[in-house]
Amino acid sequence: MSTSPLQKTREWKPLEQRKCTDIPWLLLFILFNVGMLCICGFAIATGAASRLISGYDSYGNTCGQKNAKIPGIELSGRDHASRKYVFFLDPCNIDILRRKIKSVALCVSKCPDTELKTYEDLRNFSAVYGSDLCSYDVQPDTYSTHSNRATKCPTLPVHPSASLPVFHRCMPVDISCYARFAEAFITFVSDNSVVHRVIAGVMTSKEIIMGLCLLALVLSLILMVVIRYISVVLVWILTAVVVVGSIGGTGILWWLYVDHSKSVNATLPALELEVAKDNQKALLIYAIAATVFTVILLLLLFFMRKRVALTVALFHVASKVFTHLPLLALQPFWTFLTLMLFWVYWITVLLFLGSAGSPVQNNQTGLVEFRMDGPLQYMVWYHAVGLIWISEFILACQQMTVAGAVVTYYFTRDKSQMPFTPIVSSVLRLMRYHLGTVVKGAFIITLVEIPRLILTYIHSQLKGRENACARCMLKACICCLWCLEKCLTYLNTNAYTATAINSTNFCTSARDAFFILVENALRVAAINSVGDFVLFLGKVLIVSCTAFAGILSLNYQREYTVWVLPLIIVCVFSFLVAHCFLSIFEIVVDVLFLCFAIDTKYNDGSPGREYYMDKALMEFVENTRKDTERYGKVEAESREMKSMVSLKGQLLF
């Protein structure tokens, strides 16, 4: 075996010489998170938290406390110690673009718990409970006669409402308010009652929906275990579909070309004859292109057939990994839970920032809004970058944890000598040694994701106003950045695997992994194409089974007139569950492949250099070696025959 410069400087030593990596990046990440906490502290210190939780009216008064006078605002500076709830005059008027209720808000002492149909009902409610539901400058005895009651009093009828938990907002109990709002945006519904029936169907079938979602979870777990037994069948299905589809499509194109050639007649009118000839030329081009594509595809399938066998072997071993490391199946739960907790914190701080700043009167509506001016407004951008970076960091921690556990499994010859919980051991190694590496990898993804999101936002804002050239360039840039992000994500996963093996920093691990992937480019192509399609078929299988079970279950609920939304909810959730679990399976396959490539590069099965790989992968290596030896023997015999023929020719002459 030839010795590369990489091998001269360092040998791969799995699970040995553990050391801390990328410490400066960890320190930078800690400082960044300190900045995130400072933003949260600023929002709380400036009263934004109290305004968010207690609520405030449209004149800058915080409910539940005594307020200071705001210059220029007539109804500000009121004592609302007894008025602890925010009441909206028109709670169904929702502004989708600004994501808020577009209505005048007042502080009241009690939310109306019964329907109020007339202004007299509003006056009686104020007299009984002491809660005025009209503007502060309108007296209860003038509710029925006030000239501006249409704008200063709530829209009639006032629906029964209740205070939200923690947040003191009076929100309608009857969701029909929002159902009628949604009907305005559902253009394909001709009967307005359809929306009400759909919502009623979802509410009454919630037990079935929860049961079907649990079924999708169980099916995903079962598929991860049994996929090693059906992967061969799925690969053959893929091969058959691709071959039949490409050959059949090419044949149909040639048949259409011949049929159009026969129909082209010189007696046709000039215009029709020209159109027929254009169609004939187009079909000829399509047929030739399809033929070239089919030939190339068949050649690739022929030369990559052995590498497809490697994909099947890796799937077989990956399923065995889950039987030895069952806690791997829980990784999506922990990652999802961590992301949810962080997103809740992030949204809460964002809401704090939305109610932070100085009170400013809106010139159009005359109502008070809180805005941050000057350098403080850039805190929102800092907070947005934190959302992307920390989210990518959490996902990268999952990848590193899975990589560390799979590396432990692969490079442990005696599986009985593995740690009791390899997942926990991998998490501890990550926290002690490799957090900086994960931070750096997440930051690289963030650098690509931020401009992509900015361009996507610009494209959405300019939709219909930019010219075709600018639209095409924007889409091309977004597509290129998306492709770059996916490539970097794949390289990061392999870099984390290299770090889990050698305890090297991110750049060194990424370089080592890249060189190994380039050396096995055809194998990588086979695994990513065939493997991704097999996993896609697995997702389709789970969604189909869940949807079929949903149809059977809902069939017994004949009072449901609309099944669309419950089935859509079930199918979307089942796809997300299948994607979460099979994405872990995909990471395991990628880690196993890199370990296999390293194993075959630096070991040859001889004494002292024994393979670490599983029996299924060993069989693949042995079959490949036999084919190579057979090919070498045939080539040697061919050279010998050529030399004998050449010698015989020389003797004759």
Side-chain angles (χ1 to χ4, degrees):
M1 182 187 301
S2 61
T3 304
S4 64
L6 177 63
Q7 191 175 0
K8 289 180 180 179
T9 57
R10 177 183 52 78
E11 293 184 358
W12 293 75
K13 295 183 178 180
L15 308 179
E16 296 179 8
Q17 300 178 354
R18 194 64 53 184
K19 61 181 180 181
C20 296
T21 56
D22 296 297
I23 297 177
W25 282 92
L26 178 59
L27 297 177
L28 176 64
F29 189 65
I30 292 174
L31 291 176
F32 182 85
N33 281 274
V34 170
M36 295 280 290
L37 294 176
C38 290
I39 291 176
C40 179
F42 167 81
I44 295 174
T46 54
S50 62
R51 283 195 291 269
L52 176 65
I53 296 175
S54 301
Y56 58 94
D57 62 16
S58 298
Y59 310 103
N61 302 299
T62 302
C63 300
Q65 68 181 43
K66 188 175 182 180
N67 298 274
K69 180 72 176 178
I70 302 175
I73 307 300
E74 181 180 355
L75 297 178
S76 64
R78 306 182 72 88
D79 186 1
H80 286 332
S82 61
R83 302 185 176 192
K84 300 181 179 180
Y85 305 101
V86 179
F87 175 75
F88 298 97
L89 299 187
D90 188 9
C92 297
N93 188 6
I94 301 175
D95 188 350
I96 284 291
L97 296 179
R98 298 186 178 182
R99 299 170 295 279
K100 65 179 182 180
I101 297 176
K102 191 178 180 180
S103 168
V104 174
L106 302 174
C107 293
V108 299
S109 56
K110 178 179 173 59
C111 299
D113 52 2
T114 58
E115 186 177 35
L116 307 177
K117 299 181 180 179
T118 64
Y119 291 106
E120 186 65 23
D121 292 340
L122 295 179
R123 189 188 68 79
N124 294 334
F125 183 81
S126 174
V128 174
Y129 298 105
S131 183
D132 300 337
L133 301 183
C134 290
S135 181
Y136 307 135
D137 55 351
V138 180
Q139 297 300 320
D141 54 356
T142 63
Y143 282 176
S144 302
T145 59
H146 199 280
S147 59
N148 294 326
R149 65 177 183 268
T151 57
K152 292 182 177 291
C153 290
T155 303
L156 297 177
V158 178
H159 298 283
S161 59
S163 175
L164 294 175
V166 181
F167 301 97
H168 299 76
R169 270 76 170 176
C170 298
M171 300 305 294
V173 177
D174 186 8
I175 62 173
S176 63
C177 166
Y178 306 110
R180 287 196 298 271
F181 165 75
E183 287 168 5
F185 293 91
I186 304 177
T187 56
F188 63 88
V189 175
S190 58
D191 183 7
N192 290 338
S193 62
V194 171
V195 177
H196 295 283
R197 296 202 306 270
V198 167
I199 294 178
V202 172
M203 297 303 295
T204 52
S205 62
K206 56 182 180 296
E207 293 84 3
I208 295 177
I209 293 176
M210 294 175 62
L212 292 172
C213 292
L214 182 62
L215 174 63
L217 179 64
V218 174
L219 289 176
S220 299
L221 293 173
I222 294 175
L223 181 62
M224 291 168 64
V225 176
V226 304
I227 198 170
R228 59 174 163 173
Y229 303 110
I230 63 174
S231 57
V232 178
V233 177
L234 293 178
V235 170
W236 278 112
I237 291 175
L238 165 64
T239 305
V241 169
V242 170
V243 171
V244 173
S246 58
I247 295 177
T250 303
I252 290 174
L253 286 173
W254 280 112
W255 175 77
L256 288 174
Y257 169 72
V258 173
D259 185 64
H260 276 69
S261 299
K262 293 179 180 178
S263 63
V264 174
N265 194 333
T267 60
L268 291 173
L271 181 59
E272 293 184 9
L273 181 62
E274 184 178 355
V275 172
K277 289 183 177 180
D278 289 340
N279 291 335
Q280 182 184 4
K281 292 179 181 179
L283 284 173
L284 178 61
I285 295 173
Y286 293 153
I288 294 175
T291 303
V292 174
F293 173 78
T294 301
V295 171
I296 294 175
L297 185 62
L298 293 177
L299 290 175
L300 286 174
L301 288 175
F302 176 77
F303 288 110
M304 294 175 63
R305 65 189 187 282
K306 296 298 181 182
R307 294 170 180 85
V308 171
L310 173 60
T311 305
V312 175
L314 285 173
F315 271 60
H316 182 84
V317 178
S319 297
K320 293 177 67 175
V321 169
F322 279 94
T323 59
H324 284 85
L325 309 177
L327 290 180
L328 275 178
L330 297 178
Q331 284 304 299
F333 289 109
W334 302 124
T335 304
F336 178 77
L337 179 62
T338 306
L339 284 173
M340 285 296 103
L341 292 175
F342 169 68
W343 289 343
V344 168
Y345 163 80
W346 188 87
I347 292 174
T348 302
V349 176
L350 183 65
L351 293 175
F352 286 170
L353 294 175
S355 56
S358 304
V360 179
Q361 187 175 20
N362 190 314
N363 295 328
Q364 296 180 350
T365 62
L367 305 179
V368 173
E369 300 175 354
F370 289 89
R371 299 176 184 173
M372 290 188 298
D373 299 323
L376 296 180
Q377 61 184 334
Y378 296 108
M379 289 194 300
V380 177
W381 292 102
Y382 187 96
H383 194 59
V385 173
L387 171 67
I388 301 174
W389 193 4
I390 297 177
S391 298
E392 291 295 336
F393 169 76
I394 294 172
L395 295 174
C397 285
Q398 172 184 272
Q399 296 172 357
M400 177 67 90
T401 300
V402 174
V406 176
V407 165
T408 301
Y409 172 85
Y410 188 96
F411 288 105
T412 302
R413 299 185 188 278
D414 187 0
K415 306 305 181 188
S416 62
Q417 300 298 320
M418 286 196 306
F420 179 69
T421 54
I423 290 291
V424 176
S425 300
S426 180
V427 171
L428 294 177
R429 284 199 304 271
L430 166 63
M431 297 177 64
R432 183 176 179 182
Y433 297 107
H434 305 310
L435 281 177
T437 298
V438 172
V439 167
K440 189 173 183 178
F443 180 76
I444 292 175
I445 300 297
T446 303
L447 287 181
V448 179
E449 193 167 354
I450 289 176
R452 181 178 65 83
L453 293 176
I454 292 175
L455 290 178
T456 303
Y457 175 77
I458 294 174
H459 180 263
S460 64
Q461 293 297 312
L462 297 179
K463 183 172 292 186
R465 285 180 285 181
E466 79 278 18
N467 56 41
C469 182
R471 182 170 61 251
C472 181
M473 291 179 63
L474 271 176
K475 289 184 177 180
C477 292
I478 294 171
C479 181
C480 291
L481 288 173
W482 182 84
C483 294
L484 178 60
E485 180 184 338
K486 294 303 177 183
C487 293
L488 289 176
T489 301
Y490 179 74
L491 182 60
N492 279 7
T493 302
N494 289 279
Y496 299 147
T497 303
T499 299
I501 297 174
N502 286 315
S503 191
T504 50
N505 60 42
F506 178 83
C507 292
T508 303
S509 299
R511 181 196 63 191
D512 296 348
F514 178 76
F515 287 155
I516 291 177
L517 292 175
V518 170
E519 292 173 359
N520 297 269
L522 290 179
R523 288 176 173 177
V524 172
I527 292 171
N528 286 335
S529 57
V530 179
D532 288 350
F533 186 81
V534 170
L535 294 179
F536 173 75
L537 289 180
K539 296 174 186 177
V540 172
L541 177 64
I542 292 173
V543 173
S544 301
C545 293
T546 307
F548 180 72
I551 293 174
L552 294 180
S553 301
L554 293 173
N555 186 47
Y556 293 99
Q557 306 290 338
R558 295 305 176 105
E559 65 271 18
Y560 301 157
T561 55
V562 179
W563 291 1
V564 176
L565 192 55
L567 281 179
I568 289 177
I569 293 174
V570 168
C571 290
V572 170
F573 183 84
S574 60
F575 179 82
L576 292 176
V577 170
H579 176 74
C580 288
F581 281 95
L582 294 182
S583 64
I584 295 294
F585 194 92
E586 184 178 5
I587 293 174
V588 172
V589 171
D590 291 337
V591 174
L592 285 174
F593 171 72
L594 189 65
C595 294
F596 170 78
I598 294 169
D599 197 9
T600 54
K601 180 177 181 179
Y602 294 100
N603 298 309
D604 56 8
S606 60
R609 299 177 64 183
E610 295 84 0
Y611 288 122
Y612 289 94
M613 66 186 66
D614 186 85
K615 182 179 179 181
L617 293 174
M618 192 79 73
E619 291 177 356
F620 168 79
V621 173
E622 291 298 328
N623 292 335
T624 304
R625 182 178 297 174
K626 289 179 181 178
D627 292 341
T628 303
E629 292 176 353
R630 188 182 305 113
Y631 175 77
K633 185 182 296 184
V634 171
E635 188 176 4
E637 292 177 354
S638 176
R639 286 198 301 268
E640 185 177 354
M641 289 294 295
K642 288 181 181 179
S643 61
M644 291 178 62
V645 170
S646 176
L647 179 60
K648 185 176 180 180
Q650 292 177 4
L651 291 175
L652 289 175
F653 291 100

